[in-house]
Amino acid sequence: MNCDICGNKVGLLAHRLVFKDGIVCKNCIHKSGMKYSVASLGWANYHTINDFKNIISTGKVPNIKKENKEEQAIKKQQQKVEDEKVTEHLLDPQEDSVANFSKVQQVFIENNAKKFSTFYFDDNNKKILSSLVSVFTGYSIYSYSDIASFTPINKGHGKEEKHALTRTLVGGALLGQVGAIAGAVSKGKYHQYIDQLGAVVSLKDGKSFTIDLLKGKNNVKFNNNLQTEFEELCGILNGIVAQYDTKKLSQGKEYSSADEIAKFKKLLDDGAITQAEFDVKKKQLLGL
């Protein structure tokens, strides 16, 4: 290899700068006023021999560290745009969807998607991924806006017991409408043994899919973990339905204070909130 400035031979182990279109030897680096360093090595990677010749002719050595930072910022932004394009492409199932599935699943995992059974809920992209992959149908992705409604599944046998709504669910419910959530969990009643637990999600195009929290399991004894997962699923689905309810959005329907107070009273009666929490919410709704 020869230096593209002086023409002298440059050894493989010799100090040199490797540009996009050539190399410069150590002597020419020093003559230009630049220093051979990690920073200058990085700078050369995205510059040309003509850029280096310009330094020699003008005698102006650039602020290499500053330019490197700016270049890194540009590359980071470009990579972000590319990643978004890849994500957008992957989130629309293709003919080769089976081969793409692992990449798609990774997108959901990196976005900290909440997983219920074989379904991932991605709040960043407002998408739901079904990881039930078939060689015939591939995987399925649903937009939050595609969901019309959902029906909770709570089937079991044995003694029926009443349980309070979980604090996680109530915390979310206190921020908005709570009637559908309270109703979704069957008034907090569960059988001693669960045969089926989950939800049937109905789409606006008339189709539906089932999220089965106990898929392939029978005669499972009810426990707090199941209760929490079921109520969290119902709470998330309820929030999605409420957010994309076109009828309510178009009508601009507002619930009266009396309706809201009644719903919070129901939560109080079910033991989901305390008397103090109920009193605070009641005062807020009455404007006291």
Side-chain angles (χ1 to χ4, degrees):
M1 295 182 291
N2 294 322
C3 173
D4 286 279
I5 301 300
C6 66
N8 290 334
K9 188 175 182 179
V10 181
L12 290 174
L13 301 179
H15 286 181
R16 64 188 186 277
L17 292 182
V18 179
F19 288 83
K20 293 168 68 175
D21 56 352
I23 62 173
V24 172
C25 69
K26 182 178 179 180
N27 288 335
C28 290
I29 295 172
H30 290 317
K31 287 180 181 178
S32 71
M34 291 181 65
K35 293 182 179 180
Y36 179 80
S37 64
V38 173
S40 62
L41 286 169
W43 181 87
N45 286 335
Y46 58 91
H47 283 84
T48 64
I49 292 296
N50 279 335
D51 293 329
F52 186 79
K53 287 180 178 179
N54 186 54
I55 293 174
I56 295 175
S57 62
T58 61
K60 294 181 180 180
V61 178
N63 186 330
I64 292 177
K65 290 185 178 180
K66 181 181 178 181
E67 288 193 12
N68 283 350
K69 275 189 175 181
E70 292 173 348
E71 179 66 16
Q72 288 172 3
I74 292 172
K75 285 185 176 181
K76 188 174 181 180
Q77 182 59 34
Q78 290 174 338
Q79 186 61 50
K80 182 180 178 182
V81 172
E82 287 300 314
D83 289 344
E84 288 175 351
K85 288 181 180 179
V86 171
T87 298
E88 184 178 353
H89 173 73
L90 288 175
L91 294 185
D92 289 322
Q94 308 293 315
E95 292 181 2
D96 58 345
S97 58
V98 174
N100 279 338
F101 175 72
S102 60
K103 295 179 182 179
V104 176
Q105 186 181 42
Q106 189 60 36
V107 170
F108 278 77
I109 292 174
E110 289 176 355
N111 284 337
N112 295 316
K114 180 67 180 178
K115 187 179 181 183
F116 294 97
S117 184
T118 56
F119 291 83
Y120 292 84
F121 285 70
D122 181 354
D123 274 342
N124 290 334
N125 291 305
K126 307 299 180 186
K127 303 273 189 180
I128 300 173
L129 167 67
S130 169
S131 57
L132 291 172
V133 183
S134 164
V135 294
F136 300 105
T137 62
Y139 58 88
S140 298
I141 292 180
Y142 310 95
S143 295
Y144 281 9
S145 57
D146 293 336
I147 298 177
S149 63
F150 75 99
T151 303
I153 305 172
N154 180 11
K155 298 178 181 180
H157 62 279
K159 183 181 178 182
E160 192 176 68
E161 299 177 354
K162 185 175 181 180
H163 298 267
L165 296 173
T166 63
R167 303 303 301 174
T168 301
L169 177 59
V170 173
L174 289 175
L175 300 177
Q177 310 300 335
V178 298
I181 302 178
V185 294
S186 305
K187 300 181 181 179
K189 292 183 179 180
Y190 297 88
H191 292 280
Q192 185 178 6
Y193 293 94
I194 304 299
D195 298 322
Q196 189 176 11
L197 196 67
V200 177
V201 180
S202 300
L203 304 177
K204 292 175 181 176
D205 63 2
K207 298 179 181 179
S208 65
F209 61 88
T210 301
I211 301 175
D212 196 340
L213 300 180
L214 292 176
K215 187 173 182 61
K217 299 178 181 179
N218 296 311
N219 220 34
V220 176
K221 191 170 183 179
F222 177 82
N223 59 68
N224 289 332
N225 289 336
L226 284 176
Q227 178 194 6
T228 300
E229 186 176 19
F230 176 57
E231 290 173 1
E232 187 175 6
L233 172 62
C234 290
I236 290 174
L237 287 171
N238 182 69
I240 293 173
V241 171
Q243 183 178 358
Y244 294 97
D245 189 332
T246 54
K247 290 182 180 179
K248 287 183 180 179
L249 290 174
S250 62
Q251 294 172 357
K253 182 178 179 180
E254 295 183 358
Y255 289 84
S256 67
S257 296
D259 290 333
E260 287 295 285
I261 291 173
K263 290 169 185 175
F264 283 102
K265 180 62 167 64
K266 180 177 179 59
L267 288 176
L268 175 64
D269 294 340
D270 286 342
I273 62 176
T274 65
Q275 182 67 49
E277 289 172 326
F278 172 76
D279 291 340
V280 169
K281 198 63 184 177
K282 182 178 178 181
K283 287 181 180 180
Q284 290 177 349
L285 292 168
L286 293 176
L288 300 177

